[in-house]
């Protein structure tokens, strides 16, 4: 298995992205690692590699043959373009996926392996993980939900099902929150979010003076929102932080497989709600928002919680979720040129989302 003239390299909207793929020694070592683990699973690389380079990951589709079972990848898009080779086979060729994360999200492989033990019905099981180098080799997961949406009619009920399943998985992961942190997943617990806000604001080099001043004035309200959200009594757990239709597979109607944990944090679970609901509203219109909220909140009922209280918590978490998105843009491959910190502009844009009212009110 090697890089040759048939290798397809996709840089998307980031032609100048700095990744380790540019280093020949790194490519050779990574592909040797993949080949070794394929052999261990009774597989071998066959055909042209497809490489997807972004500031936050290197993703390689590896066509395979052999007696093993290769069952798509970890590494989805932040932009609307689809991944190459989204089906389990392309022209009859099965595939596995290699993903390399930057140091700040090197936890993704170990987290994926742990999730496969804790909630196996909801996630992919990695074929191999190298925690120190931030590498993972993953089986194919079938069709992305985005592919299904483009291919066949799927109503809002499909999104309700995925939100309900995802919320149940989060609920089941509550007892593992501390173990998830020990894997290196960033802690952004509800009561600590004001400190996360302070760090992001102080460390962002591209905010304009007036923008920075507006955010500084917002700080007391951020603290109040966090205190109120914590008082709702819902424990912190795993927050995917970027759960859109390109970050999950739909192996069967009403069933979903979640992946791509590079933006994850241990935080308030409801912070996960914003991204999928916004995507669904973009597709069907804002009138579907109430039923999507109800579907997600259903697994959190009980324990004396009221529907109004859960909606208020969702309203607060919707706004505070901007902090998780802002933080995730700092998990990039280092830029050796010493230029502007990668992701700083995107992180600033998310910080400014704290100033925007959520599209629903609890009352």
């Amino acid at each position: 298995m090697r890089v040759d003239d048939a290798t397809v390299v996709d840089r998307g909207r980031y032609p100048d992205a700095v990744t380790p793929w540019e280093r020949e020694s790194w490519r050779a070592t990574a592909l040797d690692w993949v080949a070794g683990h394929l052999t261990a699973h009774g597989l071998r690389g066959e055909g042209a590699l497809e490489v997807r380079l972004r500031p936050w990951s290197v993703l390689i589709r590896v066509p395979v043959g052999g007696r093993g079972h290769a069952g798509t990848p970890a590494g989805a898009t932040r932009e609307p373009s689809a991944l190459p080779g989204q089906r389990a086979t392309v022209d009859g060729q099965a595939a596995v996926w290699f993903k390399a994360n930057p140091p700040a999200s090197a936890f993704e492989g170990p987290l994926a392996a742990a999730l496969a033990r804790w909630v196996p019905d909801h996630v992919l099981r990695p074929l191999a993980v190298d925690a120190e180098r931030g590498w993972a080799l993953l089986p194919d997961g079938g069709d992305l939900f985005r592919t299904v949406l483009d291919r066949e009619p799927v109503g809002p009920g499909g999104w309700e099902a995925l939100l309900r399943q995802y919320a149940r998985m989060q609920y089941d992961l509550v007892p593992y929150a501390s173990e998830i942190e020990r894997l290196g997943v960033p802690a952004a617990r509800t009561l600590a979010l004001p400190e996360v806000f302070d760090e992001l604001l102080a460390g962002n080099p591209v905010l304009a003076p007036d923008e920075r001043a507006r955010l500084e004035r917002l700080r007391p309200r951020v603290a109040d929102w966090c205190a109120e959200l914590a008082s709702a009594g819902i424990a912190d757990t795993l927050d995917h932080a970027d759960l859109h239709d390109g970050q999950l597979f739909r192996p069967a109607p009403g069933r979903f497989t979640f992946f791509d944990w590079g933006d994850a944090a241990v935080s308030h679970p409801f912070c996960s709600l914003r991204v999928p609901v916004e995507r669904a509203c973009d597709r069907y219109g804002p009138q579907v928002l109430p039923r999507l909220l109800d579907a997600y909140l259903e697994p959190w009922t009980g324990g004396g919680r009221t529907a109004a209280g859960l909606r208020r918590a969702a309203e607060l978490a919707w706004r505070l979720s901007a902090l998780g998105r802002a933080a995730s843009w700092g998990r990039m491959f280092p830029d050796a040129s010493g230029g502007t910190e990668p992701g700083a502009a995107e992180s600033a844009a998310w910080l400014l989302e704290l100033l925007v009212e959520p599209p629903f009110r609890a009352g």
Side-chain angles (χ1 to χ4, degrees):
M1 186 171 56
R2 59 191 176 86
V3 178
D4 56 27
D5 290 343
T7 300
V8 177
V9 178
D10 166 23
R11 295 179 178 271
R13 295 188 288 114
Y14 303 90
D16 300 321
V18 177
T19 74
W21 177 260
E22 280 69 46
R23 302 197 304 270
E24 184 177 355
S25 60
W26 185 92
R27 295 197 302 267
T29 301
L31 294 178
D32 284 348
W33 182 85
V34 171
H37 285 289
L38 288 180
T39 299
H41 285 278
L43 298 167
R44 62 183 179 275
E46 292 184 347
L49 303 176
E50 297 178 30
V51 182
R52 179 181 172 278
L53 304 179
R54 299 295 186 267
W56 54 85
S57 68
V58 173
L59 181 69
I60 306 175
R61 179 185 183 272
V62 182
V64 295
R67 68 181 185 278
H69 173 70
T72 272
T77 56
R78 296 181 189 228
E79 64 271 331
S81 62
L83 292 169
Q86 294 171 347
R87 303 298 302 275
T89 61
V90 176
D91 297 329
Q93 182 71 67
V96 298
W97 299 80
F98 166 80
K99 185 176 184 182
N101 289 82
S105 59
F107 61 80
E108 183 176 357
L111 175 60
L115 293 176
R117 296 192 303 270
W118 299 331
V119 286
D121 292 341
H122 303 290
V123 297
L124 292 177
R125 181 180 297 277
L127 301 173
V129 169
D130 186 322
E132 185 174 346
R133 291 189 282 198
W135 293 354
L137 187 66
L138 294 127
D140 198 287
D143 283 332
L144 291 176
F145 188 40
R146 175 178 296 159
T147 303
V148 175
L149 291 169
D150 290 341
R151 187 182 64 215
E152 60 191 63
V154 177
W159 294 76
E160 292 172 43
L162 83 84
L163 286 167
R164 196 176 291 112
Q165 180 186 333
Y166 175 72
R168 288 173 179 153
M169 183 189 70
Q170 286 184 296
Y171 186 90
D172 290 343
L173 288 170
V174 166
Y176 299 101
S178 294
E179 291 184 62
I180 292 171
E181 287 184 32
R182 286 195 288 271
L183 293 171
V185 178
R189 290 183 177 267
T190 306
L191 287 174
L193 285 176
E195 287 70 39
V196 173
F197 170 83
D198 293 340
E199 292 171 6
L200 290 168
L201 185 58
N204 192 287
V206 301
L207 284 164
D210 63 315
E211 293 172 335
R212 188 176 298 277
R214 291 173 67 199
L215 288 168
E216 288 172 347
R217 290 194 296 270
L218 190 68
R219 209 290 187 175
R221 295 188 68 196
V222 170
D224 289 343
W225 294 332
C226 293
E228 183 182 353
L229 182 57
S231 71
I234 295 169
D236 293 325
T237 185
L238 185 64
D239 169 22
H240 184 288
D242 193 25
L243 188 67
H244 57 70
D245 50 2
Q247 306 278 45
L248 60 148
F249 306 109
R250 199 209 69 173
R255 292 297 303 166
F256 300 89
T257 303
F258 306 104
F259 73 102
D260 197 340
W261 302 99
D263 292 341
V266 174
S267 192
H268 197 283
F270 293 8
C271 289
S272 291
L273 186 60
R274 177 174 182 166
V275 171
V277 169
E278 285 185 333
R279 292 297 179 94
C281 289
D282 287 344
R283 181 173 288 267
Y284 304 107
Q287 70 276 4
V288 303
L289 193 153
R291 55 190 286 192
L292 296 174
L293 285 176
D294 289 344
Y296 177 79
L297 295 174
E298 178 186 313
W300 303 100
T301 58
R305 302 185 189 101
T306 65
L310 287 171
R311 282 186 168 250
R312 174 56 178 168
E315 179 189 346
L316 293 164
W318 182 286
R319 195 192 299 247
L320 291 168
S321 68
L323 292 171
R325 301 297 303 127
S328 72
W329 281 100
R331 303 175 201 174
M332 305 288 175
F333 289 113
D335 185 349
S337 70
T340 301
E341 180 182 337
E346 292 87 350
S347 182
W350 273 105
L351 282 173
L352 293 169
E353 284 291 310
L354 287 164
L355 298 161
V356 180
E357 292 290 334
F360 64 95
R361 299 299 297 269

